[in-house]
Amino acid sequence: MSIRQPPDKTHSALSTASLMCGILFSLARDPVDSRLWQTLQEINTKRGPDSQQTQTIVVSDTTLQFYSTVLHLRGRDNVPQPVCENGNILCWNGEIFDGLQIALEENDTAALMQRLSLADSDEAILNLFSQIEGPFAFVFWQEHAKKVWFGRDCLGRRSLLWHREENSLLISSTAKHDDKVAWEEVPAKGIFCIQLDKKPYLDSEFTVCQNPVRLFPWLQENDDKLGLPLPFPRLNLELPSLSTEALESNDELPVQDARMQEATHAFTGVLDDAVKRRVADIPYLDVVHSRPRVAVLFSGGLDCITLAALAHRHLPLSEPIDLLNVAFENPRAQNAKQQKQETRPVYDTPDRITGRASVAELREIAPERTWHFIEVNVPYTEAMAHREHIIDLMHPLDTVMDLSIAMALWFASRGKGVIDVDGNIESYESHARVLISGLGADEQLGGYSRHREAFRHGGWERLISETQLDVDRISFRNLGRDDRIISDHGKEARFPFLSTAVVNHLCRLPIDLKMDMRYGRGIGEKLLLRHVANSVGLVNACRNWKRAIQFGAKTAKMTGETRAEKGQHKLTK
């Protein structure tokens, strides 16, 4: 069965020029430590190797420094940052996939700056940011109002850190551990505003250089406070009139009734559109347009293989797609295999085995596409050689689990490995700057074991509550960390399942259309996505079940000395 190419669609922001960048900003009365500033410039430059610029202004007794680095990812022209217009200054790290009407080939940073320059009130600024569909972090100086605005999108898909003191504020996309600097994630709970004329601001969060800092929060619908309306509602609370008794499936997807068929068709359309927007108009890497521009973080699981199949619909057939599959040499796992007298190769981890089966299925349903299955093999010594650098990148997060996940993402996104070319193993390095990730599917579609436990203990009502908790936690969990890790290679992760259009669609669906824990593992969780996968021909992968990356790639508990060490424990140097 081959994947059908869908009819073309017209999108308001599909072909605009866009980018990823590093943001560095300071507001202080005294000069910022030069060594600290230089270090922050250097690590932000890795995020944006295509251009770097600085702008400095003085307001009364306060100096503001703006530094941006740019990675050009969409459209023809690379627009350096910070962008300046009529005294206004914008550092923008984001993608406008929809929401604002932007002309074909218009640079979205410049278009956003034009709109911000015309905004004449707090409400106008907030309304503008609330319309954007896409990930973002930004710092904006509004000259006429003498205000600094900064923040992240409602799901926290781009990293932004701050270090706050009484007479200074440092903001950076990334940082590294420093005993003298207490970095924290900027909460993705709204847009912050600093009023530099020292006029009192009601409900200020804190002050810097005696200037009040106010938070304009993301708000649920029907909240009449001044803020930004969330682009998705709370979960549908409709309880299905179904029992909670276990059902047999014989490892086969249940037959769809008309209601599920309609839900599958609708969700396929929404998810396909999110993927299309995220792979469109990426600059080519060579003159003949033959090198892959898109890679998929590819464990072989349900989420990533479905996204790979959908991405295939929207890229030229002459262009390969890179599938990044990472595996680690784990001494502890090797010792366990030796004790059991197993002879499986070092890098035949669970994700490697699943990945090989899944790429075979992709090649079967889309034989006209070249699929590069990149085996990223990481020796233990190499993993340890980069350990401290990865710890710096994920800072301020600092748990054992953070490191296990960050290691897998850092080596996978680096893209150095081997591929099989007609039976010959060849070295290969992926230069694709856009990485597609399946993150967000488990939170919304019941992919974690805690969802099944919630259903077991409290039925459909408890399952809805647990899923709502997971959706609520998305904005402050790990997306900032993942952005910092992947961007270290001058690459950008994109998350179709976290398109706000996808989140909005799923929040409105009744719970039993998304998941049905009456069925066993590999069927009941993410049931809706399994039907989508099956509908595009992935008849085997649609039955794959969840495996955390640190276990699938074997980064968990690599040393073996601390058997009692748990994922939530703090790292020890």
Side-chain angles (χ1 to χ4, degrees):
M1 177 179 179
S2 294
I3 300 178
R4 297 192 305 272
Q5 301 286 331
D8 191 28
K9 301 176 184 177
T10 301
H11 301 296
S12 60
L14 191 58
S15 297
T16 58
S18 191
L19 48 85
M20 185 199 77
C21 80
I23 294 173
L24 177 58
F25 168 78
S26 71
L27 185 156
R29 285 182 173 162
D30 300 319
V32 177
D33 181 273
S34 59
R35 286 179 297 179
L36 172 61
W37 186 260
Q38 183 177 352
T39 297
L40 293 171
Q41 283 184 318
E42 289 171 355
I43 58 180
N44 274 287
T45 297
K46 283 194 171 184
R47 298 174 60 91
D50 295 333
S51 71
Q52 303 86 37
Q53 280 190 165
T54 301
Q55 291 288 334
T56 303
I57 61 173
V58 178
V59 181
S60 185
D61 60 350
T62 304
T63 300
L64 288 72
Q65 291 187 88
F66 304 79
Y67 176 77
S68 280
T69 68
V70 172
L71 172 68
H72 180 219
L73 287 174
R74 293 169 68 201
R76 293 178 300 187
D77 301 322
N78 175 24
V79 176
Q81 292 197 44
V83 176
C84 303
E85 183 175 313
N86 299 324
N88 302 308
I89 302 173
L90 174 63
C91 299
W92 170 255
N93 176 20
E95 305 280 2
I96 302 177
F97 293 122
D98 201 3
L100 299 182
Q101 295 294 322
I102 299 176
L104 212 62
E105 292 299 337
E106 183 180 10
N107 179 271
D108 67 356
T109 309
L112 177 61
M113 180 55 139
Q114 291 172 5
R115 288 164 170 79
L116 287 169
S117 296
L118 295 173
D120 57 2
S121 66
D122 291 353
E123 290 85 349
I125 294 280
L126 299 172
N127 181 60
L128 192 56
F129 282 108
S130 70
Q131 292 179 54
I132 296 172
E133 200 295 285
F136 64 79
F138 75 97
V139 175
F140 173 60
W141 167 248
Q142 189 180 21
E143 168 66 21
H144 78 86
K146 297 295 185 285
K147 292 178 179 178
V148 177
W149 298 82
F150 65 95
R152 304 163 70 193
D153 69 83
C154 62
L155 292 172
R157 289 166 286 184
R158 289 290 173 265
S159 173
L160 204 63
L161 308 175
W162 64 12
H163 168 62
R164 298 183 293 165
E165 293 185 341
E166 184 178 352
N167 289 313
S168 68
L169 174 67
L170 268 177
I171 294 176
S172 182
S173 294
T174 186
K176 61 191 301 185
H177 178 74
D178 186 327
D179 291 334
K180 299 178 182 178
V181 183
W183 291 104
E184 300 173 296
E185 301 259 10
V186 174
K189 60 183 181 181
I191 303 297
F192 293 87
C193 181
I194 309 174
Q195 179 77 54
L196 255 68
D197 58 12
K198 299 183 176 62
K199 292 179 182 177
Y201 234 152
L202 295 177
D203 304 322
S204 62
E205 293 283 298
F206 58 95
T207 61
V208 55
C209 297
Q210 298 180 328
N211 299 294
V213 182
R214 182 178 180 182
L215 170 66
F216 294 94
W218 292 101
L219 302 171
Q220 290 291 340
E221 54 189 355
N222 302 321
D223 195 323
D224 58 1
K225 292 189 296 185
L226 182 57
L228 304 93
L230 277 167
F232 47 84
R234 305 289 288 174
L235 259 63
N236 186 328
L237 297 177
E238 177 187 337
L239 292 174
S241 55
L242 300 169
S243 74
T244 57
E245 295 298 317
L247 297 175
E248 288 293 330
S249 65
N250 296 319
D251 291 329
E252 297 292 333
L253 286 182
V255 177
Q256 291 182 302
D257 59 16
R259 180 168 167 263
M260 181 58 87
Q261 286 179 345
E262 182 180 352
T264 300
H265 178 75
F267 183 49
T268 301
V270 173
L271 185 60
D272 180 71
D273 184 63
V275 171
K276 182 176 183 178
R277 292 175 184 271
R278 282 154 180 79
V279 302
D281 201 32
I282 302 165
Y284 285 96
L285 300 173
D286 60 349
V287 177
V288 296
H289 298 179
S290 62
R291 287 170 62 183
R293 294 172 294 159
V294 172
V296 181
L297 295 170
F298 193 77
S299 66
L302 173 67
D303 313 339
C304 62
I305 194 174
T306 304
L307 296 180
L310 295 178
H312 162 71
R313 297 178 167 196
H314 306 298
L315 291 167
L317 291 177
S318 60
E319 183 179 326
I321 295 176
D322 287 344
L323 307 174
L324 299 166
N325 183 279
V326 65
F328 286 75
E329 177 191 15
N330 185 319
R332 182 172 167 183
Q334 293 306 308
N335 290 337
K337 284 196 294 186
Q338 289 175 4
Q339 291 175 8
K340 295 178 182 178
Q341 297 184 331
E342 294 182 7
T343 58
R344 192 169 69 244
V346 170
Y347 296 113
D348 275 10
T349 60
D351 278 1
R352 178 61 48 78
I353 294 167
T354 303
R356 287 174 182 151
S358 291
V359 72
E361 189 164 22
L362 282 174
R363 288 168 176 157
E364 182 178 333
I365 66 170
E368 65 277 28
R369 170 79 60 190
T370 297
W371 300 94
H372 287 159
F373 182 68
I374 305 165
E375 299 189 7
V376 179
N377 299 325
V378 186
Y380 176 74
T381 53
E382 187 176 12
M384 292 302 101
H386 291 280
R387 182 178 185 270
E388 293 306 314
H389 177 60
I390 294 170
I391 289 173
D392 278 339
L393 287 172
M394 70 187 202
H395 184 76
L397 301 189
D398 60 355
T399 68
V400 171
M401 182 180 293
D402 285 318
L403 180 59
S404 294
I405 296 170
M407 273 212 176
L409 287 175
W410 192 85
F411 281 101
S413 57
R414 187 178 67 167
K416 292 182 179 180
V418 297
I419 58 173
D420 186 329
V421 181
D422 299 325
N424 297 314
I425 304 301
E426 299 181 2
S427 296
Y428 183 88
E429 181 175 355
S430 174
H431 295 283
R433 285 182 158 189
V434 169
L435 309 185
I436 299 298
S437 167
L439 198 147
D442 290 314
E443 288 81 357
Q444 300 179 80
L445 292 165
Y448 293 117
S449 59
R450 59 178 172 269
H451 295 119
R452 190 170 288 280
E453 283 300 296
F455 182 77
R456 187 167 70 88
H457 290 291
W460 296 103
E461 187 171 4
R462 179 82 171 269
L463 180 58
I464 292 172
S465 298
E466 189 66 35
T467 306
Q468 183 67 69
L469 282 174
D470 266 310
V471 173
D472 291 342
R473 284 191 289 245
I474 288 173
S475 68
F476 56 86
R477 289 190 68 193
N478 303 319
L479 287 164
R481 175 201 66 200
D482 296 351
D483 179 47
R484 293 191 293 278
I485 294 295
I486 292 169
S487 299
D488 189 51
H489 302 296
K491 300 178 181 181
E492 178 184 278
R494 295 182 179 174
F495 310 100
F497 288 108
L498 293 180
S499 158
T500 50
V502 170
V503 178
N504 177 60
H505 181 84
L506 290 176
C507 282
R508 296 178 186 277
L509 282 180
I511 193 72
D512 63 301
L513 288 176
K514 296 182 285 188
M515 61 198 82
D516 191 340
M517 301 306 180
R518 297 177 300 167
Y519 294 104
R521 191 179 184 191
I523 300 294
E525 70 279 12
K526 298 190 281 195
L527 179 61
L528 178 60
L529 184 59
R530 297 183 189 283
H531 282 303
V532 171
N534 189 58
S535 73
V536 299
L538 299 169
V539 295
N540 296 318
C542 72
R543 298 192 296 266
N544 287 349
W545 41 270
K546 165 77 178 171
R547 185 187 296 113
I549 187 171
Q550 64 269 33
F551 300 113
K554 291 297 182 184
T555 57
K557 298 186 177 180
M558 291 182 68
T559 58
E561 291 92 13
T562 53
R563 191 173 183 86
E565 192 173 63
K566 303 296 183 184
Q568 69 272 23
H569 289 174
K570 296 291 185 180
L571 286 169
T572 55
K573 290 284 185 177

